[in-house]
Structures are given as C-alpha cells and as structure tokens.
Amino acid sequence: MLLSKRNPCPSSNPGVPDWYQTYFVAVVEHDRQRALPQIELAQKAIHDRVTQLQKDPPWNPRELQDLNNASVYLGILLQHIGSDTGNLLWD
C-alpha cells in the first residue's frame, strides 16, 4: 500500500479497496474512545465487501485473504479493548 508521509491514510489509488481505508483508520486510531466505533465501522465495511464478493469475484485474488486477515486483527484489537486493562495493543 502506498502511504504518504504527510497523510498516514492509504492513497486513493484505484488499487486500494474502500474497505481497506476504513480498516486502516481503525488500526491506527490511538484514542481508545474513538477506537471502538472505528473498529465497528471497519468490521461493517469488511462484511459488506465479503457479501459483495459472493456475487462478483474480486479483481485481486488475494482480497479474500486480506479481508480475513483484517477481520482477525480487528478481533484481536477488540479483545484487547475488552481486557482488564482496557488498553489498546500499543498503549
């Protein structure tokens, strides 16, 4: 993925799926209060894309694996937020 030094979000390159931009924002969110809503948005974007791919095959054959990996990582973040410490992984 192409990342700008000034803007940490993925570029709006046609090769970058929309769901990934939402996922990226959730993963780099450092504020615990905003992390949960961002993670939920990313999960919905991933779910919506998986549903769409059931009808139309992906242009990139790796996208399904990328979606699965992103979903797993978001689950790990949610487990950490729900732990006793309530910290994000990078706190």
Side-chain angles (χ1 to χ4, degrees), residues 53-83:
L53 290 177
Q54 291 172 345
K55 299 173 188 159
D56 304 318
W59 66 269
N60 180 346
R62 278 192 35 188
E63 187 173 6
L64 283 173
Q65 184 62 49
D66 292 344
L67 286 159
N68 184 58
N69 292 346
S71 182
V72 167
Y73 191 67
L74 290 174
I76 292 168
L77 286 176
L78 281 175
Q79 284 179 332
H80 245 278
I81 289 173
S83 70

Side-chain angles (χ1 to χ4, degrees), residues 1 7 9-10 13-15 24 33 45-46 50-52 56-59 61 70 73 75 79 83-84 87-88 90-91:
M1 297 293 149
N7 182 3
C9 290
N13 180 335
F24 184 85
Q33 296 299 323
I46 289 168
V50 169
T51 300
Q52 182 182 21
D56 304 318
W59 66 269
Y73 191 67
Q79 284 179 332
S83 70
D84 291 338
N87 292 334
L88 299 174
W90 46 90
D91 281 347

Side-chain angles (χ1 to χ4, degrees), residues 4-51:
S4 166
K5 289 182 181 179
R6 282 180 261 156
N7 182 3
C9 290
S11 66
S12 56
N13 180 335
V16 178
D18 292 338
W19 68 264
Y20 181 80
Q21 294 179 0
T22 305
Y23 165 76
F24 184 85
V25 170
V27 170
V28 299
E29 179 57 64
H30 66 281
D31 183 323
R32 187 170 170 267
Q33 296 299 323
R34 293 190 306 234
L36 183 58
Q38 292 296 337
I39 291 169
E40 289 170 347
L41 282 173
Q43 287 179 317
K44 181 180 180 336
I46 289 168
H47 179 267
D48 291 348
R49 180 62 177 151
V50 169
T51 300

